[in-house]
Amino acid sequence: RKNTKRVPSFRKLLRTSQIKLDNKLKNKQYKQKSAAKKYRKEQKKLREAVRDAISRKPFPLEESKKKQVAGKWEEKEEEDALPLDMMDEDDLKLMEDLAQKASFLTRDLSSNEPVHVKKRKHESVIEKYEKVPRRLQTEPEKELIHLLPIKDKTGIIPQAVEKPVLNVAHDEEEDTEDIEEAEDFNEEPLPILTPEEMAAQRRQKLQERKMHIAALASAILSEPDSNIKKLKELRAMLMEQDPNVAVIVRKLVMVSLMEIFKDIAPSYKIRPLTEAEKATKVKKETQKLREFEEGLVSQYKFYLENLEQTIKDWKQRKLKKSNVISLKSYKGLAEVAVKCLCELLVTLPHFNFHNNIIVLIVPLMNDPSKMISELCVEAVKKLFKQDKLGYASLGVVKVISGLVRGRNYDVRPEVLKVFLHLRIKEVELQKDSEDIAPKKKFMTYKEKRKNLSRMQRKWKKAEEKLERELLEAEASESKEKKLKLHTETLNIVFVTYFRILKKAQKSPLLPAVLEGLAKFAHLINVEFFDDLLIVLHSLISSGDLSYRESLHCILSAFHVLSGQGDVLNIDPMKFYTHLYKTLFSLHAGGTNEDIGIVLQCLDVMFAKRRKQVSQQRALAFLKRLSILALHVLPNSSVGILATSRVFMQTFPKMDLLLDNESQGSGVYLPELEEPEHCNAHNTALWELHLLQRHYHPTVQKFASHLIAGAPAEGSGALPLDLSQRSATELFETYCMKGMTFNPPVVLATPRRKDTFTQMDSFVDEELNKQLQQHISETVGCKPLDFAKHLKESSLA
C-alpha cells in the first residue's frame, strides 16, 4: 500500500502565510535556546560540584579508627615516638602537612573497610549542608505561547500569552484550610433537643425510610427485569447505621425483601450457565432474561446470608464494634429473620438455595426460645402438608435424622412429632397407572369413517397408538418417582424410630416414636411385625414407661395388626389385659387428657377387630367403662358413653347388662384383671341411672339413650349432631380447657316482683293527705335515749 502522506510541494509552501512560517521559526528557535540553556545549567552545576570536592579539606584517616585500635596506638606512642626535639622546624612542619593529607601510603592497610566509609561516619551535619550546591532564588522563566498576530495601520503586531503554571503549593494550602474548617465545623457542639423534639425527629426519619423502601419495592415489582439492580440498594438498607431507627428499618427491609422475592421468583430453579452457553450469541430478550435471573439469584443469596448472619450474631451474643444495635434488640431482629426464612421455606420450595434454608431452620426447631422453635415447627408442618411429590420432605427428614443422631437423642419431642404430618398414604402408593394417567378423548370408529379418508384414518390410528404409549410411560414414570421418594423418606423415618427404640428407651422421645409407629405401621414390611410386637410388649412389661407411653405402645401394636398384620396369626390378648387392668388409673385430674388416647385404642381394638373379639371380653370392657364414666370430667364421660354406644351396636347380646336377672353361673368379680374370666354377664349397668341425673345435659342424653338400648330410630334415638360424631370428636368438642361450659348454661330469669309506690297506690286525695300527716308526725318524734333506759334498768 502506497504512503498517502506526501511532502508538501513548493507551490503549496508559497501559498502558506508568511506570518505562519515566521511563527514556526520563532517556536523552533525558542526550543533550541531553552535546550541549550538547560545544558549550560547542568554543566555549571557539575563544575561547581568538582570545585567543592577539590577545595574540601580531608580528614586524617587515623582519627576514624575504633577506640580499641586508638588505645593500642596510645600504648605504643611512647616507644615509637620520634625525637621531635632533634628535628628542625621546617621538617616538622612538612611532616604535619603530610599527615593531614590522605593517601595510599598513610592509610591503614590492615583495615578491610573501604577508604570513604570512615569518612562518611565523621561528617558533621553542617558539612553535609555545605555540600549541597547553592541555588539563587530567581524567578522562573516564563514560557510563551505564540498566537496569530494582529495587523493594523502601523503594521503587524505579534501576539503571545504566558503559559499558565499550576500553583500546587497554593492548592495544597487551600485543601488544608478546607479540612481545618470542616474539623472546626465538626467540633461545634450539637444542639440539645428536648424529648418531644427527638421523638418528632425520629418519626420524621422513620417516615422517610418507609417512603424510600416503598418506592424501591414498588419499582421492583412493577418492572422486575429492568429494576433488578434496585434490589441491591434495598438490601443495603439492612445495614442501617442510624441508632434511632436502625432496628425498625432493618425489620421492615427484611419483610419487604421477603415479599418481593416471593412475588418475582420464577416457578423453576435457575441453574448457572455453562461456558459454552455464555459464549454463544443469543437474542436481546434472552440476554435480558439471563441477566435478570443471574441478578435475582445473587441478590437472593446475599439476602439469605444476611438473615443467617443476624441469627448467628444473636445466638453467639456477638456485638460488633461498628454496630449501632444493642444485644437486646438482636432478639427481635433474629425473630423477624426466622419468620422470613420460614415463609420462604414454605412458599419457595422449588427455588434455589431451598436446602440451605432447611439446614438453617431444622436446628432452630430445638431452640431454647419457645417462640422461635414453634415458628420453625409450624413451618415444617406446612411444608409437609403441601409437598405433593416429596422432594422437600425428603430433604427435611434427612436433616432431622442427622440432628437427632448428632445430639445423641437429646432433642425436643416436637422435632420428631412433625413426622406425623408427612403426606405418605397407602392410597397414593397403590394407585394404578391408569388412574394417574390423564385421560384423553380419542375419536370413535364412526367419527373416523365420517370425517376422515382411508389414508387419514390409517395415520390417525398410528398417532393415537403413540399418544397412548406416551401417556402410559409418563404416568408410570411419575408414579415410580413418587413411590421411590416416599419409600426413601419412610426408610429414614423408621431408621430413626428403631434407633431410638433400641438405644434410648428411657428418652422423652419415646411417645413421639410410638405415635409415629402407630400412624405408619401399615407401611412397615410384614417381616418386621413379629419383632416389633415383641419389643412393644417388653416395653410395657418393663414398667419403666408412663401410663401415656404404655397407651401409645398399645395403639401402635393394634395399628400394626389392623393393617397388613391381619394375615398374621398373632393373639394380642396381653395388650387387652394391660389396658383392662389400667383403665381405673384414669380420673378427673391430670390423667383426664389420656382418655383421648384410650378412646383411640378402644376403637382400634374392638370396632376394627370385631370378628376377633369374644363376647365376654366386650361385656367386661363395657361394664368397666360405665364405672369409669362416673369418675371423670363431662367431656370424658361423653366420649366413654359414645364408645359404649358403639359396643352395644357392634356386638350382639350387649343388652344382657340392661337386665337385672343373671344369665349364668358365677358372680361378677370387678377386681379381677382378666376380662375373659370376670363373669361380666352376671352384672348390670346400674351406673347409667346415676348418669341420667348428671349435671351435664349431653351426658344425660347419652345415658337415657343407652338405657333405651341405643336405638337408631324412635323416641330414644340421639340427635344427628351427636350420633354422627365419633367418640374422639365428642371428647374434643366438649373439652373444658378454656374454663367454659359447653353447652353454655342457660341463666334462669328472676321473677319480677310487684312493686308499688305510695303516691301511685292510693288515688283518693283525702287518704293521701292523712298518710302524709302520719309520716310527718313519725319523723318529727324525738329520738330514743338508750342511756336513760339503761340507768332505769340498773336502778330497778
Side-chain angles (χ1 to χ4, degrees), residues 212-347:
H212 188 49
I213 292 170
L216 290 174
S218 59
I220 294 168
L221 292 176
S222 60
E223 294 181 1
D225 298 343
S226 56
N227 294 327
I228 193 67
K229 292 183 179 179
K230 292 189 177 180
L231 270 176
K232 185 177 181 180
E233 185 179 353
L234 184 58
R235 190 176 56 80
M237 296 183 71
L238 284 172
M239 298 294 112
E240 177 66 40
Q241 296 298 321
D242 192 345
N244 294 326
V245 295
V247 178
I248 298 177
V249 169
R250 292 187 185 189
K251 289 181 180 179
L252 291 173
V253 174
M254 283 181 190
V255 178
S256 302
L257 283 171
M258 182 260 295
E259 294 294 337
I260 289 171
F261 283 121
K262 283 169 59 178
D263 289 340
I264 68 175
S267 59
Y268 55 87
K269 188 174 182 179
I270 300 173
R271 64 173 181 83
L273 298 175
T274 60
E275 295 297 331
E277 290 174 342
K278 291 179 180 179
T280 55
K281 292 184 178 180
V282 293
K283 297 180 180 178
K284 289 184 178 179
E285 293 80 5
T286 309
Q287 184 64 27
K288 189 176 181 181
L289 179 62
R290 285 182 176 180
E291 291 175 358
F292 165 72
E293 289 178 347
E294 186 178 356
L296 177 63
V297 169
S298 63
Q299 293 302 321
Y300 187 60
K301 178 186 176 183
F302 292 141
Y303 172 61
L304 293 178
E305 288 176 352
N306 288 335
L307 296 181
E308 180 185 7
Q309 190 61 42
T310 304
I311 298 171
K312 282 184 177 179
D313 290 343
W314 170 66
K315 296 287 288 180
Q316 298 173 0
R317 301 295 188 270
K318 274 188 178 181
L319 186 62
K320 299 178 181 177
K321 294 181 180 178
S322 61
N323 212 337
V324 294
I325 298 177
S326 61
L327 283 173
K328 293 181 180 179
S329 303
Y330 260 113
K331 185 177 181 183
L333 282 174
E335 289 175 357
V336 176
V338 170
K339 286 180 182 177
C340 295
L341 285 172
C342 292
E343 191 68 23
L344 293 173
L345 176 75
V346 177
T347 55

Side-chain angles (χ1 to χ4, degrees), residues 484-735:
K484 185 178 179 181
L485 288 172
H486 286 180
T487 306
E488 188 176 355
T489 305
L490 268 180
N491 287 339
I492 298 172
V493 171
F494 285 137
V495 164
T496 307
Y497 284 164
F498 294 151
R499 194 180 286 143
I500 294 172
L501 282 176
K502 183 179 180 182
K503 298 182 180 180
Q505 294 184 356
K506 295 183 181 181
S507 172
L509 301 177
L510 193 60
V513 171
L514 297 173
E515 282 185 66
L517 287 175
K519 180 173 182 179
F520 302 115
H522 60 283
L523 300 173
I524 303 177
N525 197 346
V526 184
E527 299 175 357
F528 301 111
F529 280 4
D530 197 7
D531 296 333
L532 183 59
L533 289 175
I534 292 171
V535 171
L536 293 176
H537 183 258
S538 64
L539 287 173
I540 293 174
S541 58
S542 65
D544 296 332
L545 304 181
S546 63
Y547 184 65
R548 176 174 289 190
E549 292 172 353
S550 64
L551 290 176
H552 282 305
C553 282
I554 295 170
L555 187 61
S556 303
F558 280 96
H559 272 298
V560 169
L561 294 175
S562 62
Q564 303 177 34
D566 289 338
V567 298
L568 301 176
N569 188 16
I570 299 174
D571 185 18
M573 184 61 196
K574 45 197 172 184
F575 295 106
Y576 282 100
T577 304
H578 180 78
L579 181 62
Y580 181 78
K581 70 181 181 181
T582 56
L583 276 178
F584 284 154
S585 301
L586 301 169
H587 50 77
T591 58
N592 186 72
E593 295 299 322
D594 298 336
I595 294 179
I597 307 173
V598 171
L599 296 176
Q600 295 178 28
C601 292
L602 292 171
D603 181 54
V604 179
M605 295 165 71
F606 290 92
K608 295 182 180 180
R609 292 176 58 87
R610 60 176 67 93
K611 295 181 180 180
Q612 287 89 357
V613 178
S614 63
Q615 181 182 346
Q616 291 294 329
R617 195 181 303 174
L619 288 170
F621 270 92
L622 181 59
K623 174 62 179 176
R624 184 155 285 199
L625 286 174
S626 62
I627 297 172
L628 182 62
L630 296 172
H631 307 289
V632 291
L633 293 179
N635 62 329
S636 303
S637 299
V638 172
I640 289 171
L641 292 177
T643 304
S644 302
R645 176 175 175 266
V646 174
F647 271 63
M648 297 183 74
Q649 291 178 347
T650 303
F651 296 98
K653 299 181 181 180
M654 287 292 107
D655 54 351
L656 294 175
L657 299 180
L658 301 177
D659 192 0
N660 290 334
E661 297 180 359
S662 61
Q663 299 294 327
S665 60
V667 181
Y668 175 59
L669 303 173
E671 70 280 356
L672 196 66
E673 296 180 353
E674 293 292 337
E676 296 283 350
H677 309 292
C678 64
N679 299 324
H681 58 279
N682 287 329
T683 184
L685 298 178
W686 53 267
E687 297 85 4
L688 296 177
H689 290 278
L690 295 176
L691 293 171
Q692 268 186 321
R693 300 178 181 181
H694 200 277
Y695 65 89
H696 200 282
T698 310
V699 177
Q700 295 177 11
K701 291 179 184 179
F702 267 100
S704 302
H705 173 69
L706 293 176
I707 287 175
E713 298 176 351
S715 58
L718 284 174
L720 289 176
D721 60 333
L722 296 177
S723 61
Q724 292 182 353
R725 293 185 182 181
S726 64
T728 309
E729 290 179 3
L730 290 169
F731 172 76
E732 294 174 356
T733 302
Y734 292 99
C735 183

